[in-house]
Structure formats: C-alpha cells, structure tokens
Amino acid sequence: MMSAAALVAGYSRDEFSPLDTTRAALDAIAAHEQVVNAFVLVDEEVALSMAEASAARYRAGAPVGPADGVPVSIKDVFLTAGWPTVRGSNLIDAHGEWREDAPVTARLREAGTVFLGKTTTPEFAWKGVTDSIRHGITGNPWGAGLTSGGSSGGSATAVGLGMGTWSVGTDGGGSVRIPASFTGTVAFKPTYGVVPMYPSSPYGTLAHAGPMTRTVTDAAMMLDVLAGFDARDWSALQTPTTSFVTGLRDGVEGLRLAFSADLGIGSNEPQVDAAVRAAVQVFVEAGAKVDEIDLRLSDPVDAFHVLWFTGAAKVLQPFGEDALDHVDPGLAKAIREHGLTPTASDYLDSVAVRMDLGRRFGMLHETYDALVCPTMPIAAFAAGQPSPDGWPSDLWTSWTPYTYPFNMTQQPALSLPCGFTTDQRPIGLQVVGPRHGDAAVLRIAAAYEARTSWHLAVPTLLRASD
C-alpha cells in the first residue's frame, strides 16, 4: 500500500501509471469487499476513465497538481455529481440526476484524483459504529468480525485494506477519529471551517470534514486539496496560503505538550493506557517537554446530546411524521430520549457549556502547543453491536469520551496508530491543538510517526489473503 507521495513520484518518473494503481485498488476491492462491506457503490467505468485522463496528463508532462492520479473514495454523505448520496438511509431515493458536488468532492475532482466509489456510513452518520438497515455491517481490516468504528467506518476500512489511497469522511463527534483508532489508520479533524461543508450539516457547527489516510504526510497532502474557501458554506475559512506539508518534518524539540490519560472523564483499558503512555515517552525522547496534567473536566456529554440529537431530529423532519418508525431503532430511541424534548433554553444552556469548554482548552493552549491523549479508551469490539459486551449503555457517546469534546470546541484533532492489544487490535493516539493550530498538530503527529512503525503494520485480512 503505497502512500500518495510515493504514487505521485512514481507517476512522474514513469515507473507506473494512475491506471496501474487504480486497477490495483479495484482488485483490492474485489478481493475484500464481500468480507468487509466498506462500499455502497463502486464505479469501475468512472474510475478507469478518470485514471486514463490522469495518465494522459502525466504523459504530457502536465499533471494538475501533487494529488493527480491518487485513488480516493468518498463517504456517502457528500454530494457527488453522477452518483447518488443516500446517507445509509432507506428514506432517501437513489434515483435522480445527482448533478452537484459537495465542496470536498469538487476539490478532489479539480485535483485530478481518481474516484473509486462511495463508502458506508450508519444512517445519517449518527453513531460511532458503521452499520445500517440499508447497507448492513462494515467490518475491520484487523478482523471482519470487529467493528470498523464510525461513522466514517467504510472509509477507514477502505484505506486500511488498500481499497484506495485516500478517503474523505465527516466528524461530528469523532467520526473520522474513532474508526482511525479502531483500524490503525490516520484521520484528521481540522479546525472547523478549514474544510467547507455543503449542504450544511444538520449537526451544525459540530460537524467537520477531513482526510482519512495511512500516513500523516498523506493527511497533510490531502488537507491541502480539501481546504479552501467555498461560498456555499457560510462558515468557511479563507483558503490557506501555506501548504500543510510545509514544516511537517520540523520535529518537536522544544515544544511543550500536555498529556492527559483520560481528560478527567474516561477510563482506559489497561493495554490502551500502556500504549499511550509509551507513546508519550517517544515525544520526550524526541525533545519535547511533556507534562502530565489533571484537567478536572466535567463531562460535557449531556450538553453534547442536546446539540447532537436535536440536529438528528431535524434531519428526519422533512421525511414526515412517521420517519422515526422507519430508521435505525437506536437512532429513533436516541432522538425520542434526547432530541425532541429540549427547549430553546436547554439548547442555549448547552451552547454555554460548549463555550466554557472552549475557553478552558483555549487557556490550556496558552501554555501548551498541543494536548496528547488516547483517541479511544478501548480497542475495536464486535461488529454489528452498538457497544462492547457488558457495557452499561448502548449509546455511542458512552464509550467515546475523548472525541466529542473537541467537536464542541472546534479544535483540530488527529488520530494515528500507537500500538496493538495482545490480540492485534489497533490502539489510537490523539493529538489535539488550539483552534487554527492544524499545521502544529500535523507536525507533532509526524514526529511521532517518524520514530515508530505502527503505521506500517499489515492488517490481518491482508496477511490472510497473501
């Protein structure tokens, strides 16, 4: 599984072509898709046509940019001209002309990437595992019987198995970082507004879009493509003037990092705790000053539930009064319990919790360049169930305490692999920066990746197929 940087270098030297890598990605899909169910749509004709166009540009010495010819997949919540976007729901009719690209698909198309297909999501991207009534259960590269996480689980599994080099996902409460942690891949939730969203998410300003890759360098390269102003997004930030690859290899010597094992609100499996603490030592050895801190947070989950599930209720509103009877039963239950009863005052109270959380982390970053913590307190559990065996709650937020707070604060947060459990389930490390500190997060994550080899590990399903 070559990185995008290696692919583009090979294209430029005429060692192989975008057609070769696209066929290899399509072969990987053919080999693994029946086992893991990562795609809702694969379009070989479109993929090969886009690959041939890219190959022609390289033959002419005129690639459109540093991502030309990179095979990508797109989470099936993003509008993609020519392909339906059904968002994992039986409520949406796939028929129609589907003429419009979302900002991320438009940018990927303009960059000359090769579209392979669209990846699975739980219904309306509502939870932290990937299964839906419409498309079934998505498995994990490290075991088809393990959950891929969610809601961008199809994208993480596709990247992890070489079914494309990049994918683009959404993250409203952890939805790129949860599956990255569970699948041993890399995912980055940039500062809110860096990657424009259209149509606007019903989850409002919790929802980010971001790259899902195998390496930190690829995440930076992909963010260069995705980031940029789009007038359709009222909250989009201006296009960056510096590449996110710039300074990626500057290391962490002299940086101040805060480390929290649990944000004051979680509890880790022992093997997760050990792996993350070992990762912290890598930063120390690389020259960073690391302080273990006690954040003493109050869990903002109740406020998050108001913000999240009132948004989910709004998603269903256009589909009629009986829509709750035709969706994922877990989604219907959560909306009934958390999304229908809050008052305007409750909502504003939740916004106040959010603002105070943002203030606290903003003050933290007055002292520290970044915060490092686990991405997840657990490793992947069985696919097809909402929570681990014996867990006290089926609600996904009960086992994701380290992801949703940073959607509330809109900070950049990246997950990368930092180890495995004894039964070979990946463990994720999270690097969180101040708002607009995206380049620093990527630099810090790259410094860790450069000193470790977890990102090079070959998933169980690939080894089994060799």
Side-chain angles (χ1 to χ4, degrees):
M1 293 180 289
M2 297 178 69
S3 69
L7 291 182
V8 171
Y11 298 156
S12 299
R13 293 192 293 263
D14 198 27
E15 296 172 355
F16 45 81
S17 82
L19 275 168
D20 297 324
T21 57
T22 298
R23 290 191 181 106
L26 291 170
D27 287 347
I29 293 171
H32 301 296
E33 175 58 14
Q34 283 193 320
V35 177
V36 294
N37 187 37
F39 283 84
V40 303
L41 178 153
V42 177
D43 194 327
E44 292 191 15
E45 183 178 353
V46 164
L48 292 171
S49 175
M50 294 179 84
E52 174 53 43
S54 176
R57 292 191 291 271
Y58 278 101
R59 288 195 297 271
V64 295
D68 202 338
V70 176
V72 302
S73 60
I74 299 161
K75 183 180 180 180
D76 191 33
V77 297
F78 293 112
L79 293 178
T80 307
W83 291 343
T85 301
V86 300
R87 303 168 75 188
S89 180
N90 286 326
L91 297 176
I92 296 178
D93 185 353
H95 295 94
E97 297 187 1
W98 301 100
R99 295 180 175 179
E100 192 169 20
D101 275 337
V104 294
T105 42
R107 295 298 302 273
L108 288 166
R109 199 184 297 276
E110 293 161 4
T113 66
V114 175
F115 289 8
L116 300 168
K118 305 196 80 175
T119 54
T120 51
T121 176
E123 191 160 15
F124 298 112
W126 83 273
K127 61 182 176 180
V129 294
T130 300
D131 58 63
S132 68
I133 297 171
R134 183 162 189 156
H135 294 122
I137 299 167
T138 297
N140 188 311
W142 294 88
L146 295 172
T147 182
S148 60
S151 63
S152 306
S155 290
T157 292
V159 168
L161 288 174
M163 299 192 292
T165 306
W166 290 351
S167 195
V168 59
T170 56
D171 189 315
S175 286
V176 300
R177 291 162 291 149
I178 297 164
S181 183
F182 282 180
T183 63
T185 55
V186 172
F188 187 35
K189 177 187 76 69
T191 298
Y192 180 82
V194 168
V195 178
M197 298 273 278
Y198 174 81
S200 297
S201 170
Y203 303 113
T205 58
L206 294 172
H208 304 226
M212 305 184 71
T213 64
R214 291 280 303 175
T215 69
V216 175
T217 298
D218 269 19
M221 289 178 62
M222 190 177 186
L223 188 57
D224 278 345
V225 173
L226 299 178
F229 180 76
D230 189 302
R232 294 175 293 174
D233 182 350
W234 66 273
S235 57
L237 298 177
Q238 289 298 314
T239 301
T241 56
T242 303
S243 168
F244 288 103
V245 178
T246 301
L248 202 59
R249 302 300 172 198
D250 286 353
V252 294
E253 187 168 359
L255 296 186
R256 292 201 66 184
L257 306 181
F259 165 59
S260 175
D262 57 13
L263 302 189
I265 59 176
S267 178
N268 303 326
E269 289 181 345
Q271 292 182 62
V272 170
D273 198 72
V276 172
R277 289 183 181 278
V280 169
Q281 289 306 306
V282 174
F283 288 119
V284 172
E285 292 163 7
K289 173 73 168 83
V290 182
D291 295 329
E292 184 167 2
I293 62 171
D294 183 356
L295 285 170
R296 299 183 182 274
L297 292 182
S298 295
D299 193 343
V301 70
D302 290 337
F304 180 82
H305 285 164
V306 170
L307 300 170
W308 184 258
F309 289 113
T310 54
K314 194 67 177 177
V315 169
L316 299 189
Q317 195 174 62
F319 299 102
E321 294 182 0
D322 65 342
L324 279 174
D325 298 327
H326 302 285
V327 298
D328 180 334
L331 173 59
K333 181 175 184 287
I335 288 174
R336 289 189 175 107
E337 292 181 356
H338 302 284
L340 299 178
T341 57
T343 64
S345 181
D346 293 331
Y347 193 90
L348 291 174
D349 286 343
S350 298
V351 171
V353 171
R354 181 182 191 180
M355 290 191 294
D356 185 63
L357 190 67
R359 176 192 64 81
R360 292 194 60 174
F361 279 108
M363 295 300 293
L364 176 77
H365 289 295
E366 290 284 288
T367 302
Y368 295 103
D369 296 290
L371 167 72
V372 293
C373 65
T375 308
M376 297 291 296
I378 57 175
F381 50 88
Q385 57 189 56
S387 59
D389 290 334
W391 203 256
S393 171
D394 278 346
L395 202 57
W396 64 272
T397 47
S398 70
W399 45 267
T400 60
Y402 311 143
T403 56
Y404 59 77
F406 301 114
N407 293 84
M408 298 178 76
T409 62
Q410 302 187 339
Q411 292 170 253
L414 181 146
S415 180
L416 73 165
C418 70
F420 293 88
T421 62
T422 53
D423 57 356
Q424 290 295 289
R425 291 174 294 147
I427 296 168
L429 174 71
Q430 186 170 214
V431 181
V432 183
R435 292 176 75 246
H436 312 293
D438 304 78
V441 169
L442 287 161
R443 169 188 170 185
I444 292 163
Y448 176 80
E449 186 179 80
R451 287 174 167 261
T452 59
S453 59
W454 305 114
H455 62 290
L456 301 176
V458 179
T460 304
L461 295 185
L462 287 180
R463 283 183 271 131
S465 65
D466 288 344

